[in-house]
């Protein structure tokens, strides 16, 4: 027997997709569908972002800066869409959110393993984030693997070293699980890149775009949280907006920001 012809619905698994939104409130409350859909859409974008971030690291490893830039541009477009999507959720008032919030129990974006995976690729790693997930779960295995992996910044420095820049060994061989600290030696190299090496300076600019894009998402998310729940604690158990404020404005690639006043 031949397989049935591929259709839009069979290829994209539309029936399965449309069955995945299960409101918990009685009624159900009107706004809960939006809340579920928007989080699911985010998780799909997170999946795509990870796919593309892996690609950028590979292009850098293959010494393909133009292709790395091309993929970074796609990543930035996705981040912009992710930021813009918050506008939709901000149409939900505090009272509308209250109609179903307690049904979320302890569920929170705090528990998004894909968001943590993105942070890990970008250099924000922590053992605590891994331990929140059960051993041998998909989430835990993915985070453990990414904890050991070189970050995008490590990949970039190794690429620069192959381009002929004298990147000190301490940076090329560093423990990739520790936070990225500013370094005056790396800053000296970046200044040279910006002044005399337009191809790689462009690559630096795309990394700054990415860094700024992620910071923008954090800022917009905390503002949305403030206007929706004020100073209430988060369902994930944190202090809520006060906790999120601490994560805002922290650059991913500090050296790229440090050098700007010297250019
Ligand atoms: C009404 C909407 C929302 C509210 C009130 C809200 C609230 C919060 C709060 C209070 C936290 C701190 C952790 C906690 O204790 O729960 C948090 C973290 C987080 N939320 Fe949301 N959130 C909302 C929508 C979203 C959406 C649409 C996403 C997209 C995936 C998202 C992703 C995250 C992530 C990734 C974290 C962890 C951030 C970090 O640890 O740096 N949130 N959220």
């Amino acid at each position: 027997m031949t397989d049935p012809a591929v259709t839009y619905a069979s290829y994209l698994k539309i029936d399965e997709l449309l069955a995945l939104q299960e409101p918990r409130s009685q009624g159900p409350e009107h706004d809960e569908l939006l809340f579920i859909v928007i989080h699911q859409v985010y998780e799909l974008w997170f999946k795509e972002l990870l796919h593309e971030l892996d690609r950028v690291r590979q292009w850098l490893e293959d010494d393909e800066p133009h292709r790395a830039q091309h993929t970074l541009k796609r990543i930035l477009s996705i981040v912009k869409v992710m930021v813009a999507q918050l506008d939709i959720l901000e149409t939900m008032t505090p009272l509308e959110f209250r109609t179903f919030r307690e049904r979320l129990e302890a569920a929170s974006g705090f528990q998004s393993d894909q968001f943590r995976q993105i942070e890990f690729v970008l250099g924000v790693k922590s053992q605590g984030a891994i331990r929140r997930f059960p051993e041998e779960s998909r989430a835990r295995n993915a985070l453990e693997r990414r904890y050991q992996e070189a970050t995008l910044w490590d990949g970039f420095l190794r690429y620069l070293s192959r381009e002929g820049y004298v990147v000190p060994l301490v940076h090329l061989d560093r423990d990739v699980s520790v936070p990225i600290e500013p370094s005056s030696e790396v800053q000296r190299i970046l200044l040279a890149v910006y002044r005399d090496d337009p191809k790689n300076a462009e690559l630096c600019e795309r990394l700054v775009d990415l860094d700024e894009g992620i910071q923008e998402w954090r800022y917009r998310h905390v503002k949305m949280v403030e206007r929706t729940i004020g100073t209430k604690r988060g369902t994930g158990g944190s202090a809520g907006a006060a906790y999120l404020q601490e994560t805002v404005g922290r650059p991913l690639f500090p050296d790229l920001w440090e050098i700007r006043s010297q250019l």
Side-chain angles (χ1 to χ4, degrees), residues 6-34:
V6 178
T7 64
Y8 179 82
S10 70
Y11 179 59
L12 297 172
K13 304 207 182 303
I14 300 296
D15 288 350
E16 291 90 329
L17 188 64
L18 296 181
L20 292 176
Q21 296 72 41
E22 294 180 7
R24 289 177 55 83
S25 58
Q26 296 302 320
E29 293 295 344
H30 180 83
D31 284 41
E32 192 175 356
L33 182 63
L34 170 66

Coordinates of all heavy atoms in Angstrom, one line a residue, residues 6-34:
V6 N 1.3 13.6 1.2 CA 1.6 14.6 2.3 C 0.6 15.8 2.1 O 0.4 16.3 1.0 CB 3.0 15.1 2.2 CG1 3.3 16.1 3.3 CG2 4.0 13.9 2.3
T7 N 0.0 16.2 3.2 CA -0.8 17.4 3.2 C -0.3 18.4 4.2 O 0.6 18.0 5.0 CB -2.3 17.1 3.6 OG1 -2.3 16.7 4.9 CG2 -2.9 16.0 2.7
Y8 N -0.8 19.6 4.1 CA -0.4 20.6 5.1 C -0.6 20.1 6.5 O 0.2 20.2 7.4 CB -1.4 21.8 4.8 CG -1.1 23.0 5.8 CD1 -0.1 23.9 5.6 CD2 -2.0 23.2 6.9 CE1 0.1 25.0 6.4 CE2 -1.8 24.3 7.7 CZ -0.8 25.2 7.5 OH -0.6 26.2 8.3
A9 N -1.8 19.5 6.7 CA -2.1 19.0 8.1 C -1.3 17.8 8.5 O -0.9 17.8 9.7 CB -3.6 18.6 8.1
S10 N -0.9 17.0 7.6 CA -0.2 15.8 8.0 C 1.3 16.2 8.3 O 1.9 15.7 9.2 CB -0.3 14.7 7.0 OG 0.4 15.0 5.8
Y11 N 1.8 17.0 7.4 CA 3.2 17.5 7.5 C 3.5 18.2 8.8 O 4.4 18.0 9.6 CB 3.6 18.3 6.3 CG 5.0 18.8 6.3 CD1 6.1 18.0 6.4 CD2 5.3 20.2 6.3 CE1 7.4 18.4 6.4 CE2 6.6 20.7 6.3 CZ 7.7 19.8 6.4 OH 8.9 20.3 6.4
L12 N 2.5 19.2 9.1 CA 2.7 20.0 10.3 C 2.1 19.5 11.5 O 2.1 20.1 12.6 CB 2.2 21.4 10.0 CG 2.9 22.1 8.8 CD1 2.2 23.4 8.4 CD2 4.4 22.4 9.2
K13 N 1.4 18.4 11.4 CA 0.8 17.7 12.6 C -0.2 18.7 13.2 O -0.2 18.9 14.5 CB 1.8 17.2 13.6 CG 2.8 16.2 13.0 CD 3.3 15.3 14.0 CE 4.3 14.3 13.4 NZ 3.9 13.5 12.3
I14 N -1.1 19.3 12.4 CA -2.0 20.3 12.9 C -3.0 19.8 13.9 O -3.2 20.4 15.0 CB -2.8 20.9 11.7 CG1 -1.8 21.6 10.7 CG2 -3.8 22.0 12.2 CD1 -1.0 22.7 11.2
D15 N -3.5 18.6 13.7 CA -4.5 18.0 14.7 C -3.8 17.9 16.1 O -4.3 18.3 17.1 CB -5.0 16.7 14.3 CG -6.0 16.9 13.1 OD1 -6.3 18.0 12.8 OD2 -6.4 15.8 12.5
E16 N -2.6 17.4 16.1 CA -1.8 17.2 17.3 C -1.5 18.6 18.0 O -1.7 18.8 19.2 CB -0.5 16.5 17.1 CG -0.7 15.0 16.7 CD -0.7 14.8 15.2 OE1 -1.2 15.7 14.5 OE2 -0.3 13.7 14.7
L17 N -1.1 19.5 17.1 CA -0.8 20.8 17.6 C -2.0 21.5 18.3 O -1.8 22.1 19.4 CB -0.2 21.7 16.4 CG 0.4 23.0 16.7 CD1 1.6 22.9 17.5 CD2 0.7 23.8 15.4
L18 N -3.1 21.4 17.6 CA -4.3 22.1 18.1 C -4.9 21.4 19.4 O -5.7 22.0 20.1 CB -5.3 22.2 17.0 CG -4.9 23.1 15.8 CD1 -6.1 23.2 14.8 CD2 -4.5 24.5 16.3
A19 N -4.4 20.2 19.6 CA -4.9 19.5 20.8 C -4.0 19.8 22.1 O -4.3 19.3 23.1 CB -5.0 18.0 20.5
L20 N -3.0 20.6 21.9 CA -2.0 20.8 23.0 C -2.3 21.9 23.9 O -1.6 22.1 24.9 CB -0.6 21.0 22.4 CG 0.0 19.8 21.6 CD1 1.3 20.2 21.0 CD2 0.2 18.6 22.6
Q21 N -3.4 22.6 23.7 CA -3.7 23.7 24.6 C -4.8 23.3 25.6 O -6.0 23.1 25.1 CB -4.2 25.0 23.8 CG -3.1 25.6 22.9 CD -2.8 24.7 21.7 OE1 -3.7 24.2 21.1 NE2 -1.5 24.5 21.4
E22 N -4.4 23.1 26.8 CA -5.4 22.6 27.8 C -5.6 23.5 29.0 O -4.8 23.4 30.0 CB -5.0 21.2 28.3 CG -5.0 20.2 27.2 CD -4.6 18.8 27.7 OE1 -4.4 18.6 28.9 OE2 -4.4 17.9 26.9
P23 N -6.5 24.5 28.9 CA -6.7 25.4 30.0 C -7.0 24.7 31.3 O -7.7 23.6 31.3 CB -7.9 26.3 29.6 CG -7.9 26.2 28.1 CD -7.4 24.8 27.8
R24 N -6.6 25.2 32.4 CA -6.8 24.5 33.7 C -8.0 25.2 34.5 O -8.5 24.6 35.4 CB -5.6 24.6 34.6 CG -4.4 23.7 34.1 CD -3.2 23.8 35.0 NE -3.5 23.7 36.4 CZ -3.5 22.5 37.0 NH1 -3.3 21.4 36.3 NH2 -3.8 22.4 38.3
S25 N -8.3 26.4 34.1 CA -9.4 27.1 34.8 C -10.8 26.6 34.4 O -10.9 26.0 33.3 CB -9.3 28.6 34.5 OG -9.5 28.9 33.1
Q26 N -11.8 26.8 35.3 CA -13.1 26.3 35.0 C -13.7 27.4 34.0 O -13.5 28.6 34.2 CB -14.0 26.2 36.2 CG -13.5 25.2 37.2 CD -13.4 23.8 36.5 OE1 -14.3 23.4 35.8 NE2 -12.4 23.0 36.8
G27 N -14.5 27.0 33.1 CA -15.1 27.9 32.2 C -14.8 27.5 30.7 O -15.7 27.1 30.0
P28 N -13.5 27.5 30.3 CA -12.4 28.1 31.0 C -12.4 29.6 30.9 O -13.1 30.2 30.1 CB -11.2 27.5 30.2 CG -11.7 27.2 28.8 CD -13.2 27.0 29.0
E29 N -11.5 30.3 31.7 CA -11.4 31.7 31.7 C -10.9 32.1 30.3 O -10.0 31.5 29.7 CB -10.5 32.2 32.7 CG -10.9 32.0 34.2 CD -12.2 32.8 34.5 OE1 -12.5 33.8 33.7 OE2 -12.9 32.5 35.5
H30 N -11.5 33.2 29.7 CA -11.2 33.6 28.4 C -9.7 33.8 28.1 O -9.1 33.3 27.1 CB -11.9 34.9 28.1 CG -11.6 35.4 26.7 ND1 -12.3 34.9 25.6 CD2 -10.7 36.3 26.2 CE1 -11.8 35.5 24.5 NE2 -10.9 36.3 24.8
D31 N -8.9 34.4 29.0 CA -7.5 34.8 28.7 C -6.5 33.7 28.9 O -5.4 33.8 28.5 CB -7.1 36.0 29.6 CG -7.7 37.3 29.1 OD1 -8.9 37.3 28.7 OD2 -7.0 38.3 29.1
E32 N -7.0 32.5 29.4 CA -6.0 31.5 29.7 C -5.5 30.9 28.3 O -4.3 30.5 28.2 CB -6.6 30.4 30.5 CG -5.4 29.4 31.0 CD -5.9 28.4 32.0 OE1 -7.1 28.4 32.4 OE2 -5.0 27.5 32.3
L33 N -6.3 30.9 27.3 CA -5.8 30.4 26.0 C -4.7 31.2 25.5 O -3.6 30.6 25.0 CB -7.0 30.3 25.0 CG -6.5 29.7 23.6 CD1 -6.1 28.2 23.8 CD2 -7.7 29.8 22.6
L34 N -4.8 32.5 25.6 CA -3.7 33.4 25.1 C -2.4 33.1 25.9 O -1.3 33.0 25.3 CB -4.1 34.9 25.3 CG -2.9 35.9 25.1 CD1 -2.5 35.9 23.7 CD2 -3.3 37.3 25.6

